[in-house]
């Protein structure tokens, strides 16, 4: 098998073998049969002359570019990054050389040329407040742009928690009225790849699947690829034995923390977070948040920002219990009041008591 | 009720709850007819079974003749004032004779009271504290008039409870005299060596603990010591003592006709206890239990006579001068 | 509302409301009950050692002679599920964390596998006790809506908690939220039903023992 991708890889010092292995791993990560790995490799490496590379339009909305960074800016060239060679990335503000009108032109050209076939990737949430004025590109609100571009898309990838669930822009009190892609677009297949940022390989996996099979992989109820979001962080966490033994770090630098004990009490949201960090890890398998000593923030879950505080154990109250002391006071007052009423009733009954006589028995 | 009172892990006081309920039921005219009649007779005539003073006097004469011992009435300053239950006056006259013998042997002064001979308290049975108070006051007045030291409750469970535990609370002040069950008095005599008996019962005997005496009254050891003084072959039935099972007539079930089915059903428990020890005779210390037990034994065709403990003791007291 | 919002709601607003009602109810009822007071008993006491309120408070935790054999299901089943509830509630690490956040004190917990086992046993015991209540004519006759209802609200937290940990039926997040919700229902219901015995138990035992101790009866 030959092709420009393989050539590029070779120039980067990545052998063909490594590339195949990577595809096989990707397939197995996605719980696909080994043959799918080969199919993926072939689809990605196919020469542009033989197969027209699928057009991809990437729209950035209310976002921080963290997602793009996560996937593209690694300390060394990664295969994830290189996958972009397998696609025709026709519009990506951050990465494209063009700007201004040129960029807009490229967008519209791609939309027209690939009508109904292009893949739309969105990162960032869509602000609805002030008619969408909080975030505009080329004089158009994100809302307008999304609707317009989505129309001709074959499928949409909501990249990162903002696009998938509204993310941090949507955090209380959500000043811009941010919503997710799926809140706006109802008539297209949408896949969510949440995470703040999402794991690069998840992104690659989904793209590879789309390239190979022309469809989106199997999803869970939140529209996430099941293959990567099927289990909780907690279920696959290497600190889990400590959790089960009841060994918890109490502070970030105590004995327990040094011994690598479970971070539950320090607010780890691993038990309620579906993501692949614990298995895939970050930065090319170097480490991942819990391994580096910090609890999971739950970034791949909707509203993780407002889920009661990062450093509060999951079983702790999410909000300060404001009502409690008032309730106790009301309870005490009610108790005392009722006691007095009861006593009054009792003495009234005593005072008003008419001695029962035999006649009463026959009433 | 028995079990709940003694075992309820959350500490429910069922007896008290039932009492409150009865209080309302009786005051609103909803008490069972049978008990209403008994209350009426006790208040107007002086005893639930309609026994009047002349009948008591006739009994006294009878017993005096039979036993050759005086039966004092209204003797001021006597140490003990002995109460009777109608049941004893009518069905078990031996009781009075037994008292005479025992007191005589112990050398204690005692008396009956003409204004308060009836110990039972139908007011308490029906659950009405006003009427119960009225009946208790008769006894208190009598005891205080005669300046006795101790009032003896007969072998009658609720009479004992009414007087010993409820009485002072009903009249709203502590008593100036003590209240004791006859079994307690016998127990004291026994301890002080004032109770001398001769001979033994040789048949197989067992003892039924009346609820009001044992579980509700705290008298448990005395009857056993007394039994052993006069019986060679005394066996305890299972669950004897504090946890002994009700005769079947407790809580007023013996006082109403509608209770018969219930009593017979409840008696099965007693039957199983008796079957476990197979006694020749059954001893107890409550006239009410006695009647219910006899009813049950007859129903299940068990040939086990029931006797009162006081009488049985009295039978072993040597004749005067002997 | 998605499941994370649901979870956050039960951990926040829901818990706030439930704990508020719980505290209000408990304090109210305790004051009301003990505020009623008791009349002094005027009858002469019979003093017997071992017969007092304090004695009864402890004695009632042990089945009286013969009772274990008479109703083994009530006693053994009852013991197991009460102790089980205690262990699961107070010795499971996440629960301890919860109490710590409320009361500021914490204590060591037990391994979660052990808690898991206890939970299963507790669930089994509660089911057995329920079946017994259904099967025994007397128990069934004496049971009112409240009995079935209080059983259910006690059972659900154990069941949902265990199912959440085991990842059964629903995603953990949803199950956890349902678990907390069921606990909140229990908290709200507790002060106003017979479940209040969790608080009055000792007082009533003491009172019962005192009344009987006055008569010289060690109940
Ligand atoms: S560190 Fe977090 S994810 Fe890991 S076992 Fe503990 S609670 Fe679970
Ligand atoms: S460990 Fe949790 S918070 Fe951290 S990246 Fe993974 S899913 Fe997000």
């Amino acid at each position: 098998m030959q092709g420009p991708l393989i050539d590029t890889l070779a120039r980067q010092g990545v052998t063909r073998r490594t590339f195949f292995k990577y595809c096989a791993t990707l397939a197995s990560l996605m719980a696909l049969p080994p043959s799918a790995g080969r199919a993926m490799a072939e689809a990605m490496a196919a020469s542009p002359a033989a197969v027209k590379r699928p057009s991809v339009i990437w729209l950035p909305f209310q976002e921080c570019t963290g997602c793009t960074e996560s996937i593209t800016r690694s300390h060394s060239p990664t295969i994830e990054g290189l996958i972009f060679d397998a696609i025709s990335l026709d519009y990506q503000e951050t990465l494209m050389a063009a700007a201004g009108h040129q960029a807009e032109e490229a967008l519209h050209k791609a939309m027209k040329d690939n009508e109904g076939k292009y893949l739309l990737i969105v990162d960032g949430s869509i602000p609805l407040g002030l008619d969408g004025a909080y975030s505009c590109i080329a004089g158009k609100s994100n809302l307008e742009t999304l609707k317009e571009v989505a129309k001709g898309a074959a499928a949409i990838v909501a990249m990162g928690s903002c696009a998938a669930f509204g993310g941090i822009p949507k955090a209380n009190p959500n000043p811009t009225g941010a919503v997710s892609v799926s809140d706006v677009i109802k008539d297209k297949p949408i896949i969510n790849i949440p995470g703040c940022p999402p794991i690069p390989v998840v992104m690659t996996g989904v793209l590879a699947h789309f390239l190979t099979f022309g469809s989106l992989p199997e999803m869970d109820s939140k529209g996430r690829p099941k293959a990567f979001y099927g289990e909780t962080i907690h279920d696959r966490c290497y600190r889990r034995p400590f959790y089960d033994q009841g060994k918890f770090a109490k502070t970030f630098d105590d004995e327990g923390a040094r011994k690598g004990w479970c971070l539950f009490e320090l607010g780890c949201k691993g038990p309620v977070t579906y993501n692949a960090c614990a298995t895939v890890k970050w930065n090319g398998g170097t480490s991942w948040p819990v391994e580096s000593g910090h609890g999971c923030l739950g970034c791949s879950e909707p509203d993780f920002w407002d889920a009661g505080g990062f450093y509060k154990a999951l079983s702790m109250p999410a909000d300060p219990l404001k009502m409690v002391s008032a309730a106790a006071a009301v309870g005490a007052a009610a108790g005392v009041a009722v006691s007095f009423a009861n006593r009054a009733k009792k003495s009234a009954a005593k005072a008003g008591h008419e001695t029962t006589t035999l006649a009463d028995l026959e009433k | 009720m028995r079990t709940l009172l003694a075992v309820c892990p959350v500490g429910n006081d069922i007896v008290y709850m039932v009492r409150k309920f009865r209080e309302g039921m009786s005051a609103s005219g909803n008490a069972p007819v049978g008990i209403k009649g008994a209350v009426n007779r006790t208040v107007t005539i002086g005893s639930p079974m309609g026994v009047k003073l002349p009948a008591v006097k006739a009994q006294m004469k009878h017993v005096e003749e039979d036993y050759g011992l005086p039966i004092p009435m209204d003797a001021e300053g006597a140490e003990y004032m002995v109460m009777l239950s109608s049941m004893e006056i009518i069905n078990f006259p031996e009781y009075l004779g037994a008292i005479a013998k025992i007191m005589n042997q112990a050398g204690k002064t005692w008396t009956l009271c003409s204004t308060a001979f009836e110990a039972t308290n139908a007011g308490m049975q029906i659950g009405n504290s006003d009427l119960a108070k009225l009946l208790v006051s008769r006894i208190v007045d009598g005891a205080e008039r005669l300046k006795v030291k101790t009032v003896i409750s007969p072998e009658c469970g609720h009479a004992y409870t009414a007087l010993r535990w409820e009485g002072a609370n009903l009249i709203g002040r502590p008593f100036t005299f003590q209240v004791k069950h006859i079994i307690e008095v016998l127990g004291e005599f026994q301890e002080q060596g004032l109770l001398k008996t001769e001979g033994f019962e040789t048949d197989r005997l067992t003892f039924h603990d009346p609820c009001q005496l044992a579980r509700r009254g705290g008298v448990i050891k005395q009857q056993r010591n007394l039994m052993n003084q006069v019986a060679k072959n005394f066996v305890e039935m299972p669950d004897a003592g504090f946890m002994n099972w009700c005769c079947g007539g407790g809580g007023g079930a013996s006082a109403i006709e509608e209770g018969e089915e219930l009593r017979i059903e409840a008696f099965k428990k007693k039957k199983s206890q008796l079957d476990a020890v197979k006694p020749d005779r059954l001893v107890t210390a409550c006239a009410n239990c006695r009647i219910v037990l006899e009813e049950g034994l007859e129903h299940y065709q068990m040939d086990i006579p029931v006797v009162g403990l006081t009488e049985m003791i009295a039978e072993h007291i040597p004749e005067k001068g002997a | 509302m998605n499941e994370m919002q649901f979870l956050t709601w039960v951990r926040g607003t829901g818990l706030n409301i439930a704990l508020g009602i719980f505290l209000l109810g408990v304090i109210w009822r305790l004051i009301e009950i003990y505020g009623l007071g008791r009349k002094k008993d005027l009858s002469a006491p019979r003093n017997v050692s071992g017969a007092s309120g304090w004695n009864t408070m402890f004695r009632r935790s042990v089945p009286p002679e013969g009772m274990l054999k008479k109703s083994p299901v009530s006693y053994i089943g009852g013991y197991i599920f009460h102790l089980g509830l205690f262990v699961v509630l107070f010795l499971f690490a996440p629960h301890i964390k919860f109490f710590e956040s409320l009361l500021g004190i914490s204590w060591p917990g037990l391994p979660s596998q052990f808690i898991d086992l206890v939970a299963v046993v507790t669930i089994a015991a509660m089911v057995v006790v329920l079946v017994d209540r259904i099967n025994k004519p007397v128990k069934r006759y004496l049971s009112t809506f409240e009995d079935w209802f209080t059983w259910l609200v006690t059972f659900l937290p154990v069941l949902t908690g265990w199912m959440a940990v085991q990842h059964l039926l629903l995603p953990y997040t949803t199950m956890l939220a349902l678990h907390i919700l069921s606990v909140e229902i229990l908290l709200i219901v507790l002060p106003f039903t017979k479940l209040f015995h969790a608080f009055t138990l000792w007082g009533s035992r003491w009172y019962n023992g005192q009344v009987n101790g006055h008569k010289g009866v060690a109940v």
Side-chain angles (χ1 to χ4, degrees), chain A residues 29-48:
Chain A
L29 266 178
M30 299 185 72
L32 295 169
S35 59
R38 203 174 171 82
M40 280 179 176
E42 274 164 9
M44 284 193 272
S47 88

Side-chain angles (χ1 to χ4, degrees), chain A residues 135-185:
Chain A
S135 178
C136 295
I137 297 166
K140 272 190 214 153
S141 74
N142 290 166
L143 183 64
E144 273 174 273
T145 312
L146 175 62
K147 282 185 176 162
E148 196 188 317
V149 182
K151 217 174 275 163
I156 304 176
V157 177
M159 171 72 59
S161 291
C162 298
F165 304 130
I168 294 171
K170 194 184 164 218
N172 239 344
N174 191 1
T176 66
V179 296
S180 68
V181 173
S182 54
D183 285 335
V184 177
I185 305 298

Side-chain angles (χ1 to χ4, degrees), chain C residues 48-198:
Chain C
V48 167
S49 72
S52 76
W54 293 106
N55 276 285
T56 302
M57 273 170 70
F58 295 104
R59 201 177 293 123
R60 285 286 161 95
S61 296
V62 187
E65 227 186 291
M67 287 310 291
L68 196 59
K69 242 199 264 153
K70 245 158 230 145
S71 11
V73 176
S74 304
Y75 274 101
I76 300 175
Y79 264 112
I80 292 181
F81 98 73
H82 276 93
L83 289 175
L85 283 179
F86 180 88
V87 169
V88 172
L89 176 60
F90 291 109
L91 298 176
F92 184 42
H95 295 168
I96 299 174
K97 197 66 196 164
F98 173 74
F99 288 115
E100 189 187 351
S101 76
L102 291 186
L103 310 168
I105 46 167
S106 97
W107 50 89
L110 289 174
S112 62
Q113 288 97 337
F114 181 76
I115 298 288
D116 208 73
L117 182 80
V118 175
V120 173
V121 172
T122 307
I123 290 172
M126 285 194 77
V127 170
V128 168
V129 169
L130 179 74
V131 169
D132 189 54
R133 190 183 268 278
I134 296 172
N135 280 344
K136 296 251 166 75
V138 177
K139 283 190 181 172
R140 191 172 57 228
Y141 173 74
L142 289 173
S143 300
T144 60
F145 170 77
E146 199 188 335
D147 293 285
W148 309 115
F149 180 66
T150 47
W151 180 90
L152 186 72
V153 296
T154 313
F155 185 70
L156 283 180
V158 193
L159 184 72
T160 52
W162 179 74
M163 283 173 75
V165 171
Q166 292 295 322
H167 299 284
L168 295 176
L169 206 63
L170 295 172
Y172 179 79
T173 315
T174 316
M175 230 0 160
L176 178 64
L178 285 176
H179 171 61
I180 300 177
L181 184 71
S182 68
V183 172
E184 281 159 12
I185 294 173
L186 175 65
L187 280 175
I188 291 172
V189 163
L190 192 142
F192 308 104
T193 57
K194 53 171 49 182
L195 293 175
F196 200 56
H197 76 263

Side-chain angles (χ1 to χ4, degrees), chain A residues 89-103:
Chain A
L89 189 52
D90 294 327
Y91 180 86
Q92 215 297 6
E93 273 195 345
T94 316
L95 302 178
M96 70 200 307
H101 294 299
Q102 285 177 326

Side-chain angles (χ1 to χ4, degrees), chain B residues 5 9 160 164 169 184 217, chain C residues 41-42 44 46 60 70 205:
Chain B
L5 176 76
Y160 176 61
R164 175 69 177 88
N169 294 311
E184 286 179 272
Chain C
D41 194 335
L42 299 168
R46 183 206 303 281
R60 285 286 161 95
K70 245 158 230 145
R205 281 188 187 179

Side-chain angles (χ1 to χ4, degrees), chain A:
Chain A
M1 192 171 66
Q2 219 49 62
L5 179 63
I6 301 292
D7 295 341
T8 328
L9 285 170
R11 271 198 308 277
Q12 304 273 355
V14 179
T15 64
R16 222 173 129 251
R17 217 179 108 82
T18 317
F19 176 66
F20 273 104
K21 227 176 109 195
Y22 172 75
C23 289
T25 315
L26 202 56
S28 83
L29 266 178
M30 299 185 72
L32 295 169
S35 59
R38 203 174 171 82
M40 280 179 176
E42 274 164 9
M44 284 193 272
S47 88
V51 186
K52 187 176 175 341
R53 292 182 298 164
S55 165
V56 172
I57 297 173
W58 185 314
L59 293 178
F61 294 144
Q62 260 191 156
E63 45 90 44
C64 68
T65 316
C67 296
T68 314
E69 296 265 341
S70 162
I71 287 160
T72 58
R73 265 198 51 172
S74 314
H75 53 285
S76 67
T78 60
I79 301 174
E80 281 95 15
L82 293 168
I83 193 143
F84 291 111
D85 290 347
I87 57 172
S88 161
L89 189 52
D90 294 327
Y91 180 86
Q92 215 297 6
E93 273 195 345
T94 316
L95 302 178
M96 70 200 307
H101 294 299
Q102 285 177 326
E104 287 306 299
E105 256 164 47
L107 172 62
H108 287 107
K109 186 170 180 312
M111 280 168 63
K112 231 172 84 203
D113 292 353
N114 303 290
E115 171 95 48
K117 280 182 292 194
Y118 60 85
L119 184 68
L120 170 61
I121 299 179
V122 175
D123 71 335
S125 60
I126 302 98
L128 299 184
L130 296 182
D131 288 330
Y134 285 107
S135 178
C136 295
I137 297 166
K140 272 190 214 153
S141 74
N142 290 166
L143 183 64
E144 273 174 273
T145 312
L146 175 62
K147 282 185 176 162
E148 196 188 317
V149 182
K151 217 174 275 163
I156 304 176
V157 177
M159 171 72 59
S161 291
C162 298
F165 304 130
I168 294 171
K170 194 184 164 218
N172 239 344
N174 191 1
T176 66
V179 296
S180 68
V181 173
S182 54
D183 285 335
V184 177
I185 305 298
K186 303 285 180 194
D187 56 355
K188 293 282 169 186
I190 301 175
I191 190 163
N192 290 329
I193 306 185
C196 192
I199 303 174
V201 76
V202 177
M203 168 79 186
T204 331
V206 171
L207 284 182
H209 193 282
F210 185 75
L211 286 176
T212 317
F213 305 107
S215 66
L216 299 174
E218 202 194 340
M219 293 179 257
D220 69 4
S221 63
K222 286 188 187 141
R224 302 177 291 200
K226 260 196 183 150
F228 297 102
Y229 298 86
E231 281 172 301
T232 62
I233 299 286
H234 181 67
D235 284 335
R236 304 305 297 267
C237 179
Y238 77 105
R239 299 195 188 213
R240 179 63 183 267
F242 294 118
Y243 173 90
D244 288 331
Q245 288 159 27
K247 289 183 173 155
F248 300 99
K250 310 272 174 190
T251 69
F252 283 108
D253 60 355
D254 70 353
E255 184 70 17
R258 271 188 286 275
K259 284 191 175 141
W261 287 357
C262 170
L263 302 167
F264 179 86
E265 297 199 355
L266 290 168
C268 181
K269 300 295 179 292
V272 294
T273 306
Y274 291 81
N275 205 348
C277 305
T279 40
V280 173
K281 300 196 182 179
W282 284 83
N283 297 332
T286 310
S287 178
W288 63 291
V290 168
E291 192 172 339
S292 72
H294 194 288
C296 168
L297 303 179
C299 74
S300 59
E301 293 296 321
D303 302 298
F304 76 101
W305 200 264
D306 288 322
F310 291 159
Y311 301 101
K312 245 187 227 165
L314 251 186
S315 59
M316 277 164 58
D319 297 333
L321 297 167
K322 286 174 235 113
M323 270 170 70
V324 168
S325 40
V330 173
V336 171
V338 173
S339 293
F340 274 109
N342 285 341
R343 286 194 171 230
K345 209 157 131 197
K346 230 158 92 180
S347 31
K350 219 184 237 166
H353 178 77
E354 293 168 30
T355 309
T356 344
T357 61
L358 283 178
D360 292 320
L361 299 184
E362 302 297 343
K363 260 193 295 213

